[in-house]
Amino acid sequence: MTDNDLAKTDEVLEQYKDRAGNLIPILQNIQTKLGYLSKETIKYISTKTKIPVSEIYGVVTFYTQFRLQPIGKNIIRICHGTACHVANASKIADTIFEELNVKPGGTTEDLKFSVEVVACLGCCSLAPVMMINDKVYGRLTSEKVKKILAEY
Amino acid sequence: MEKIVGDNLESNITKIKVGLASCGIAAGGLEVFDKIDKFLDKSKLNVKLEKTGCIGMCYKEVLVEIDDEQFGSTMYGPVKPEDVDEVLQAHLIDKKPKTEKVLFSDKLGGKEDEVLKHQTRIVLRNCGIINPESIDDYLEQDGYKAIQQVLTEMKPEDVIEEIKKSGLRGRGGAGFPTGLKWQFAHQAKGDIKYIICNADEGDPGAFMDRSVLEGDPHSVIEGMLIAAYAIGANQGYIYCRAEYPLALKRLRIAIKQAEERGFLGNNIFDSDFNLKIDIKEGAGAFVCGEETAMIASIEGKRGMPNIRPPYPANSGLWGKPTNINNVETFANIAWIIRNGASEFAKYGTEKSKGTKVFALTGKIKRGGLVEVPMGMTLRDVIFKVGGGIIGDKKFKAVQLGGPSGGCIPESLLNTPVDYDSLTATGAIMGSGGMVVMDETTCMVDMARFFLNFTQNESCGKCTFCRIGTKRMLEILTRITEGKGKSSDIDLLYDLSDKVKKASLCGLGQTAPNPVLTTLKYFKDEYIEHIENKHCPAGVCKQLIKYEIIPEKCVGCQMCKKVCPVDAISGERKSVHKIDQEKCIKCGACMDTCKFDAIRKL
C-alpha cells in the first residue's frame, strides 16, 4: 500500500471508530477511495479494527459489490433482469464482450473498462439497459452499444 | 387523478415540471431539463422550473408538465432535448401548443389519460407531483401532519389499532398483517427497539420501491416515524441497495431536511418521542431482503438468514426487538392515519385492503408504474391500464413475484390481484413486478432464467437450496439445449419439492415456483423441447436455425457483412447461404436484412 492509500484508509477507519457493526460501510468507503480491496488493505483493516482477516474475507466474498482485483476506469453494468432478459439482453451482452474482448466480470487489458452483469438496474421499462459509471443507457441495440462504447 | 392534473398552488405563476426519476434521467431527462432552463433564461419568462419524481408513464419518458393559467395543466411526452425549444415557444410564447405531443391535459385534449383513469393513488400520491428534494413541497401536501396527529392525540396502542383496522398487509411480498407485526414488537420486552425499512428491492423486474424513494422519500420517513412511535423505537435504519444511487441521494437529502425541521431527532413535536434514522447501503446480495439476513448484514456480517423463531419482533437487530417493513408499506401509513382506517379499507377485497403498486414491464404497450385497487383482475391491469401487448401480439403469460413467483397463463387472467387469489395460482403477489410475455417468450428459458438467478443468489447455508437449485438449473439448461431426457420432468418435480421443504428462508422455499408454475401451465413446451428438440417460441439458441428464403434474397451482401463469424456465403446479386456449422445464431443477419429474406426455424 502506498502512503496515500494508507492515509485514505486511516481516514475512513477514523470515521467509523468505536461504532459497532460498521464493517460493510468501512469496506464500501475504502473501496470507493482505492478502487478495490487488496490483500494488504484487508490485512491492514484487520489490524486496526481487530476483526479477523478470515471474517473480513468472508464478508468481502459474500457480497458481489466488493472486488479483490483492480478495476477499469469505466464500469459497465449490463442489466440482466427479467424485463431485459425478455428484451434479449444476452445479445447486448455478447456485443459488449465481443467489442471489448472481455469476459463477464473481467477488465480490458488497457484498464479502460470493467464489465459486470447485474441482476436488475430497476429501469425495466427502458429494457434492455446498461449503465456506464453512473449513466444509464436504455432501449439498446447492438448498433447503439457500439456507438456508446466509442464515446468513451 | 385530479391531483396530478389540477395541482396548482400558486395559480398565477407558470410551472414546468420534468420527471427526473432514474427512468426519466436514463431517457435523457437531465438534458431536457437543461434545455428548458436555457430557454427560460433567454426568454426571460417568469416560470418556475422544477424536478419531480416518477409519474409512472415510463413508456413516454421524458415527461414534461406545463401548468399555466391559460391551458391549465398539460403533460407532454416523449420530449426529446431537440423538441424543447419548439414545444416551449408554441406553448408559452405563441400560445398555440403543439397538441400532437400532449399526453393529457385540462384543456388541450390528449388520449393517454386512459392509463391514469383506472388507478387509485395512495402510495404514489405525491410521486410526479412534488419535488422530492424539497421538504416544503411535501409539507404543502399535508406532509408530517399524520405524525403530528399521532404524537399529540394518539397512544401507541391506538396507532396499532388503527393500522390493524385498515387491513394493511406487508407489501414486500409475504403479506403479513402490518398492525399485528407492530403489536408483536410493541409487546416485546426491552428498552431498546429498532425500526428498519426494507429498501433492498432485489427482484428483477420490480422498481416500485425505487420510484417511491426517488419520488416521495419523506412519505417513507413519516411512515417510519409513526411505526417507531407505535412500537417504541428510537433508532431506525433504511437498508437500501447500492444499485439505487439516486434513491440513496434523495433519502439522504430528505433525512437531513427532516432533522433540520425537527421531524427527526429529539422531542419531536414537543413530545418525549425521539427518532434517529441512518442509512445502510446494501452491498449486492439478494438474500439480504430476507428479514434475518438483513439484520445480519446491518450488523456487518455475511447476510445469511437465521432460524425463526425467535422472530425479529422479539430478538432482532443486536438481539433487540425489531420491526421491519417494506418501503411501500411505510408509504401507506401516513395516508391511513390522516384519512382513517375505514377510508383505506374501502379499497380492495375482503382480505386484501387498499391498493398495490405494480411495475408493468416486458412486452406491454404502456410499461411503467401503476397503482390499482386490490381485486382488479390481471386482465384489466394488463389490457385496460397497460394497454395490451406490443404489436398486438398474442398474450402468453404474465410473471408475478419475481424469482419467488410464477407465470400465469391466459386462462387465469380473470384472477383478481389480491394475496390469496394469486397464491392459489401458484404465483405470489410478491413485491409487485409484473412482466408480460408474448408468444416470442420461451417458458422453459424463463424458468431457467429465474433458476439461474436464485442459484446465483443462494447464500449457501442450506444444502437443498445450494445444491438443489444448481442441479435444477443444470436440468433446465440441458432441456433448452435439446439434450433433455423424458425423465427430467419428474426429476424437476422431485427436486422442487425437496428444495421447498428443506430451505430455511423464503429464497429457497420459493425458488422452485417459476419451474413449478411453468410445468403446471406450459408442460407442452417442456415436452416439445425434450421429445422433438424444438423451441416453439424460437428462443433457445441450440434449437433454432436461421435460413435464407431464396425467393426473397436479392444478394445485397448486407447479411454477409454483419455476420460476426463469416458463416454467410454468396456472390453479389445471387442467393446467399448460411453455413449451419459456423452459425452462432446471433440473429444479426435477420435484423439487418431489409427484404425479410431470413427466417428463424
Side-chain angles (χ1 to χ4, degrees), chain B residues 105-312:
Chain B
S105 168
D106 287 352
K107 294 180 187 166
L108 297 171
K111 288 183 191 132
E112 289 296 326
D113 57 340
E114 186 74 9
V115 65
L116 300 169
K117 218 165 62 189
H118 304 285
Q119 298 191 44
T120 304
R121 295 200 155 200
I122 293 177
V123 172
L124 302 177
R125 59 191 179 274
N126 296 326
C127 282
I129 297 173
I130 64 167
N131 176 354
E133 295 180 13
S134 156
I135 192 169
D136 288 319
D137 269 28
Y138 183 66
L139 292 171
E140 273 175 20
Q141 307 290 335
D142 291 331
Y144 292 109
K145 286 243 172 87
I147 181 64
Q148 182 176 17
Q149 185 187 336
V150 162
L151 290 176
T152 49
E153 294 166 18
M154 296 167 89
K155 290 202 289 283
E157 292 82 356
D158 302 336
V159 178
I160 292 170
E161 209 41 54
E162 191 70 7
I163 298 300
K164 273 165 86 175
K165 228 170 71 189
S166 76
L168 176 67
R169 292 167 68 173
R171 298 296 193 243
F176 192 81
T178 306
L180 202 58
K181 203 172 185 180
W182 291 10
Q183 189 179 329
F184 293 146
H186 172 76
Q187 286 166 346
K189 287 198 173 64
D191 296 336
I192 299 172
K193 293 180 184 178
Y194 296 103
I195 186 97
I196 298 175
C197 172
N198 185 345
D200 193 41
E201 183 175 59
D203 283 6
F207 53 93
M208 299 75 51
D209 294 350
R210 172 180 64 73
S211 300
V212 173
L213 294 171
E214 288 177 356
D216 191 16
H218 286 286
S219 72
V220 178
I221 295 173
E222 189 172 5
M224 286 182 76
L225 274 159
I226 295 166
Y229 172 75
I231 70 160
N234 300 123
Q235 172 68 50
Y237 292 100
I238 300 176
Y239 190 98
C240 181
R241 63 197 294 241
E243 288 90 337
Y244 287 175
L246 186 63
L248 283 162
K249 180 186 152 202
R250 293 199 173 146
L251 270 175
R252 289 203 172 95
I253 293 171
I255 289 175
K256 192 161 167 275
Q257 288 173 340
E259 283 169 350
E260 282 165 6
R261 302 290 178 98
F263 299 125
L264 283 172
N266 293 334
N267 303 107
I268 300 165
F269 285 107
D270 296 322
S271 68
D272 51 9
F273 171 64
N274 312 325
L275 183 71
K276 189 171 174 290
I277 294 181
D278 286 315
I279 293 176
K280 288 276 178 181
E281 261 183 60
F286 175 70
V287 70
C288 288
E290 198 278 341
E291 291 193 342
T292 58
M294 178 170 288
I295 288 169
S297 183
I298 293 177
E299 290 174 354
K301 299 178 198 152
R302 287 165 72 95
M304 286 175 153
N306 281 306
I307 294 174
R308 299 181 295 184
Y311 286 92

Side-chain angles (χ1 to χ4, degrees), chain B residues 23-24 55 83 111 129 143 165 180 182 200 293 312 317 323-324 366 377 397 408 414 568 585:
Chain B
C23 301
I55 298 149
D83 302 333
K111 288 183 191 132
I129 297 173
K165 228 170 71 189
L180 202 58
W182 291 10
D200 193 41
L317 189 59
N323 180 69
I324 304 182
R366 302 192 195 118
T377 62
I408 298 176
N414 289 334
I568 303 179
K585 285 143 192 170

